[in-house]
């Protein structure tokens, strides 16, 4: 339980920031799932388009501190590799 005004404020700020970050994480996960669904259909063009839309969302997560750069790069790289495999 907060005993000081400053700690009460920190609790309020944390709740707000957590809600915003959850929304950002959800947006990233949804974008990645769309790419994976497009890959599952086997249509390379739609999968490539979905990845093109997902990349900015993932990288925005990096700039906002929701994801680390390496994690985001790995996700994009692995999705891209799976899309390249579709043609083969």
């Amino acid at each position: 339980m907060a005993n000081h005004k400053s700690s009460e404020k920190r609790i309020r700020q944390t709740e707000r920031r957590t809600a915003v970050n959850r929304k950002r994480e959800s947006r990233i996960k949804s974008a990645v799932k769309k790419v994976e669904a497009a890959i599952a259909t086997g249509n390379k063009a739609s999968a490539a388009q979905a990845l093109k839309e997902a990349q900015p969302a993932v990288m925005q997560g990096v700039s906002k501190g929701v994801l680390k750069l390496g994690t985001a790069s790995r996700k994009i790289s692995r999705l891209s590799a799976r899309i390249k495999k579709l043609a083969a």
Side-chain angles (χ1 to χ4, degrees):
M1 192 69 214
N3 292 321
H4 300 282
K5 264 195 169 312
S6 61
S7 57
E8 289 172 354
K9 181 179 178 180
R10 292 301 301 164
I11 289 170
R12 288 194 308 269
Q13 288 176 328
T14 301
E15 287 172 355
R16 248 181 275 139
R17 191 171 48 250
T18 300
V20 168
N21 284 340
R22 277 203 186 120
K23 193 167 187 170
R24 287 177 179 150
E25 286 174 7
S26 176
R27 191 177 302 136
I28 292 166
K29 287 178 184 178
S30 295
V32 170
K33 283 179 186 175
K34 283 181 186 177
V35 177
E36 289 175 346
I39 290 171
T41 63
N43 187 350
K44 186 175 181 177
S46 67
Q49 181 62 33
L51 179 63
K52 191 173 181 180
E53 293 169 6
Q55 276 180 322
V58 172
M59 294 316 275
Q60 187 177 30
V62 172
S63 68
K64 299 298 181 181
V66 177
L67 286 177
K68 290 187 177 180
L69 180 60
T71 304
S73 297
R74 184 178 64 246
K75 281 183 184 294
I76 292 170
S77 176
R78 289 181 179 174
L79 288 171
S80 180
R82 286 173 60 192
I83 290 172
K84 280 186 178 180
K85 269 189 180 179
L86 286 178

